[in-house]
Amino acid sequence: MSTIDTSTKAGAPGEPGWKRYKFADHFRNAEDEFDACKLGFWLFLATEVLLFSGLFCAYAMFRMKYPEAFAAGSHHLDVKYGGINTLVLLVSSFTVAMSIRCAQLNNQKWLRINLIITILCAFLFFFIKLAFEYIPKWSQGIRPGILYSNPFAGHPQEPTWWSVYYGATGIHALHVLIGAALLIWCLVRSFRSNQYGPTHYTMLENAGLYWHLVDVIWIFLFPLLYLIH
Amino acid sequence: MNMCALSIAQQSDWLTTKIFGASGASPLARESDAIFMWIFWFSTFWFVLLMGLMAYWVVKYRRRPGVAPQRSAHHNTPLELAWTIIPSLFLGYMFYVGFQGYISNLVAPTNAEVIDVQGRKWVWTITYPNGANPLTSITIANNQAAPEIYIPVGRPVQFRMTSVDVMHSFWIPDFRFKQDILPNRYSSFWIEAEEPGDHVVYCAEYCGDLHSEMSAIIRAIPADEYDAYLKSIEDPGGPPPVRGKRLVDTRGGCIACHSIDGTKGIGPTWKDAWGNAVQFADGTSLPADDPDAWDNYIRESIINPNARIHNGFAPAMASYAGAFTEDELGYIAAYIKSLSSKAPAGEIPTEEDPAEAPSN
Amino acid sequence: MTTITTPDTGHGGHHEGSYLTPNKGGVFATIIQWATTIDHKKIGMMYLFAVLGMFMLGGVAALMVRAELWEPTRMLADGTVTGQFFKGGDTASANYLTYNRIFTMHGAVMVFLVIVPGAPATLGNFLLPLMLGAKDVAFPRLNLLSWYIYLLGAAFAVLALLNTGADTGWTFYTPYSSSHAGNTYGNIVMMTTAAFILGFSSILTGLNFIVTIHKLRCPGMGWFDMPLFVWAMYATSIIQVLATPVIGITLLLLIFERVFHVGIFDPAMGGDPVLFQHFFWFYSHPVVYVMILPGMGIATELIAVHCRKPIFGYRAIAFASLGIAAVSFLVWGHHMFASMGELASAVFSALTFFVAIPTAVKVFNWIATLYKGSIALNTPMLYALSFLFLFSIGGLTGLPLATLATDLHLHDSYFVVAHFHYVMMGGTVIAFVGGVHHWWPKMTGKMYTEWVGILGCLLVFVGFNVTFFTQFFLGIQGMPRRYANYVDEFQLLHQISTVGAFTLGLGFFIQLGNFIHSLIAGRKAPPNPWGGLTLEWYIESPPTEHNFHKEPILTHGPYDYEDVYPPHCDPADFPLPDPKPGGANAH
């Protein structure tokens, strides 16, 4: 039985959602609940970091084993699009941090605008990835593992590079989608009942943290995949 | 307990033999048993002490109605420090003797006879130093066919092992040692039999359906009988270096880039290469006098030549992956080895000069 | 020190009922209530039910393995009762395949479905909030999600295993698991997916517990006032959160390897099989400490309560738990001495000895607790003593495995099998079963029958030792692991081991019967049958939905038997020691 007042009657008169919010009754007070939720979320982020660190480890091992294959494969990546995507994610990290700041200041309008920009950036990232990277490569036969069918591979082990590329960026893209979904959910709740405000913005904070993690992982992936030759 | 004394003695004491089933078949095996027994007595001492105290106190301090327990200390720093530090010292010693014994089994003497072992699902194939690979086997317990591996008594034998498919492991219980066997890589250890006898070998890494049927039998026979046996199974194709030279000259085309007389070509010369240190372009290096590293390096250079580039040379060599069978890779490596003054005496064929190989 | 602020429970129960009281709306409403509960106690009980069921499945697989090993070569496929099940086909190879699938099932079920979730998800879920004086865990809905993820993973696993199963061993070593075509492609992918899903359940449970311990302690309970079971769960949860993602990515990469032939682990495609081992054991070594730390925490509680004495060296045990958790991440290579180079092997051997030290310190502390205690030899205490005996053997037999020279003989032999069964079963399972007996009155409100409990404990103890002590000798003398057939000279030892296994099974069966009988016709349990001082003994058996009627304020330590009467107890049953000159706080 939930004791959080989650009534979301649109247009309900009176208080906005963030003022009506009551913390769960097994916590002593709202600060404890907020701290607990943040601690829990940081622990979850630690698990995500460890998941990706396994991927980075595999990348490092195979780079040491087949340096020419990796150099050959890396040349096929367009730094331009990787760079644009990096900028896009950096901007979106800024806007999501701004939306949390707006929540703290009870600026509902700019909270939502910043969230919308962040979500648009997420979709832009995805679009650039698909339209300019994945789809052109896929159609040339540059695919992971056994699906690889490009006859012009520069090195016999190049398919391994592409598997690492697709694996790492694919899992990252999945996390971009999950982050975008979380942010969309926050946006919906903000519209329906002004759910986030100075005394309650836990979900928004956590979604923002997740988004920052997605950005940080890309900051590591970009140089390792695109820039190092 | 004096481990050296035990290993020099020809037989382990009664208890060791009872526990292990049979005495270790070599001084190194008996040394391993001595280490085990030391750990056994150490553990027994602590176990009896702890369980004895436990049993004694459980009886002495059992709950009786109306009797209050006495007060006692909740902790005792000097005692706790003592029982942390003192066992640690013993454990440190255990690590040390364990490490020494392990290294002794891995690093073969330079004059060791090298027998190549290949594991595949689910049989062992052997190649003797003269390149012969007979497939004789005997039936051991329960109708299993176990390939025979003959080794000479009194001479060190190194097993150089690789797998053709999945992971296996070569375990000789009588010699108390095993190594896992991996595809695309050599692993090795050595033994020396003190007297004639049979020693069973088990595969000790799960490899599928017939994992339990993948045995072999090592038959230690007197050294002269072993030499005669090798002569009798010798392949008319010649010893491995000869066969290697034939492969290099006919199918490899290696001489286009690698000279055998010391001239620098597109690739490094093979004369006096084996066994010497190499500097690579990426800053790493191959140590001198490390036979296992050289065997692996030659193999890697044939299959994946650009993995490590010899300093001063360009990465120009194409891969020969798939061009040679496992055995042929071994012959080529033997030929390259025979061109080095550092090759152990046994590797250089004495009957024939590699430059005058028979034409078959 | 004033008394603890909890109202007397005489009035608490009559209008609310316990957490077990069925819903007034009938059977269907009760089912929905349990299916949608966020009450940690209900979730813990559901896990208990599932874990015991999975334990039976894994146990049956074990008995099938031992039955097969009765004879050196005869596969059960020629005519015995279980022959039809084993008969995988007409060729000898097919029969081995069935054996290989059975031992894989035993390992995978026991590791992923029983022991890893076991104590944390059952006793941990039930007891952690109670011991801390909280109403629930920090994230109750996440707790329910953990439970459903466990069910999903269990469903995948059981489907895969019973469908024709995987035959790779629970360790999934490549290249066999990444390239083997003889096995049904789908089953290995399904099995690894199951383990991946179960990993999430483990992570979320651990995460929940860490936050609960940080944030939901009742007033007055500092870190060093917590029961040591809570410290054990804290250390366990840290490992769960940090190590499990690595097996997640490992299994994901293995699935990619099998489906897309990527070439990470398969040498035929340029990969490295030893890399898989490193990735795999980087998780699977810490996970064995996830298995044993809760068991140690349970043993600590059992010994303290049934000896009616503070644990000797509270801080040593607390820090040793954290120390074990930390060092556990550094020793994974000791599973790979036979396939690593010399330097790596030396480093891992040294570090492995290092992790033995806090473990040994704990054993010394437990035994020192017995000194001048008041020891009640009831079923939970007998389990605690069995734990001490069996875990000591398990730990000591780890020494020749940590020592390089002897390990290269004993690795992948029955010696290792015996060692890990002594620590995992003789340690964790024994402590867990003892804990279930100890907290059974609290969880169900019923008392089990004491003499049956003692009989079960003795049968398990004897059966266990007969089964596994013989296996040490089998391994030393040259019997490899995962063998369906063996040479004649090992037959006697194998037969003794099989007799022990069936005795062990009988012992567990009797205990199960004891528990079932107690639910039907057991005597009603008092709130504090053992005289414990931790907070769960201050409330009714079984507890109400909200645990405590008012938030408790802690005023004494968890083991202050020398100063405080346990709640709801007759002082005559649990007399205080004679007062020391200088007052209650003098030591």
Side-chain angles (χ1 to χ4, degrees), chain C residues 164-512:
Chain C
T164 58
D167 73 327
T168 54
W170 81 276
T171 47
F172 299 116
Y173 272 14
T174 57
Y176 188 72
S177 65
S178 58
S179 62
H180 175 54
N183 202 342
T184 322
Y185 160 107
N187 283 338
I188 293 186
V189 173
M190 221 196 304
M191 193 59 229
T192 44
T193 307
F196 182 78
I197 294 172
L198 288 164
F200 276 107
S201 176
S202 194
I203 289 174
L204 294 176
T205 300
L207 191 156
N208 224 335
F209 286 178
I210 292 177
V211 180
T212 307
I213 294 170
H214 274 271
K215 285 312 217 184
L216 289 180
R217 292 193 308 272
C218 64
M221 188 183 283
W223 281 88
F224 295 107
D225 301 310
M226 298 195 307
L228 285 166
F229 176 70
V230 178
W231 274 102
M233 290 312 307
Y234 186 65
T236 305
S237 302
I238 292 177
I239 304 178
Q240 275 182 307
V241 166
L242 295 180
T244 316
V246 180
I247 194 73
I249 192 69
T250 306
L251 294 176
L252 205 60
L253 289 174
L254 183 62
I255 294 172
F256 280 177
E257 182 83 337
R258 258 192 101 82
V259 174
F260 295 117
H261 300 264
V262 167
I264 321 169
F265 301 129
D266 195 337
M269 296 186 266
D272 184 1
V274 182
L275 182 66
F276 178 83
Q277 288 184 46
H278 280 291
F279 275 172
F280 180 84
W281 287 113
F282 187 80
Y283 162 75
S284 300
H285 187 78
V287 90
V288 312
Y289 293 97
V290 166
M291 299 176 199
I292 193 62
L293 279 169
M296 291 176 166
I298 295 171
T300 310
E301 295 299 322
L302 265 51
I303 292 175
V305 172
H306 295 285
C307 295
R308 188 149 162 62
K309 234 202 95 171
I311 279 287
F312 187 89
Y314 175 102
R315 291 199 180 211
I317 295 207
F319 289 128
S321 304
L322 290 181
I324 290 173
V327 183
S328 74
F329 280 94
L330 305 176
V331 300
W332 76 90
H334 67 225
H335 300 270
M336 301 158 56
F337 285 148
S339 50
M340 281 192 308
E342 297 97 51
L343 178 62
S345 295
V347 168
F348 282 116
S349 173
L351 287 167
T352 305
F353 281 108
F354 200 48
V355 82
I357 297 167
T359 314
V361 163
K362 283 191 168 194
V363 174
F364 301 149
N365 281 356
W366 287 319
I367 294 188
T369 308
L370 300 172
Y371 177 66
K372 289 194 176 169
S374 167
I375 304 172
L377 284 173
N378 46 34
T379 308
M381 187 63 191
L382 285 178
Y383 274 103
L385 294 173
S386 304
F387 169 86
L388 287 177
F389 184 94
L390 299 173
F391 180 71
S392 296
I393 294 180
L396 288 168
T397 52
L399 293 175
L401 295 173
T403 307
L404 285 165
T406 44
D407 180 76
L408 269 299
H409 174 57
L410 300 171
H411 171 66
D412 266 336
S413 74
Y414 260 74
F415 190 91
V416 177
V417 175
H419 161 74
F420 66 67
H421 280 95
Y422 262 90
V423 280
M424 291 208 285
M425 190 180 205
T428 304
V429 173
I430 293 292
F432 177 68
V433 174
V436 173
H437 279 89
H438 179 77
W439 282 293
W440 188 258
K442 180 60 53 187
M443 297 195 291
T444 60
K446 297 291 177 80
M447 293 299 291
Y448 53 83
T449 311
E450 178 69 11
W451 71 265
V452 178
I454 294 184
L455 174 67
C457 180
L458 287 175
L459 273 175
V460 163
F461 183 78
V462 168
F464 181 89
N465 278 307
V466 171
T467 309
F468 292 107
F469 204 73
T470 47
Q471 291 185 5
F472 285 125
F473 295 104
L474 276 172
I476 294 171
Q477 289 173 14
M479 173 75 201
R481 281 178 76 168
R482 294 173 166 171
Y483 263 36
N485 282 0
Y486 52 84
V487 296
D488 291 327
E489 64 205 61
F490 294 135
Q491 180 168 22
L492 178 62
L493 286 175
H494 269 295
Q495 288 181 329
I496 295 173
S497 183
T498 300
V499 168
F502 279 87
T503 312
L504 182 59
L506 179 65
F508 280 125
F509 202 66
I510 288 178
Q511 288 164 22
L512 183 66

Side-chain angles (χ1 to χ4, degrees), chain C residues 539-572:
Chain C
I539 54 180
E540 305 94 332
S541 301
T544 56
E545 182 97 7
H546 292 295
N547 302 343
F548 300 91
H549 299 285
K550 280 209 285 237
E551 183 180 43
I553 299 169
L554 193 66
T555 50
H556 62 78
Y559 310 116
D560 283 349
Y561 298 104
E562 296 167 345
D563 305 322
V564 179
Y565 285 117
H568 316 304
C569 285
D570 184 342

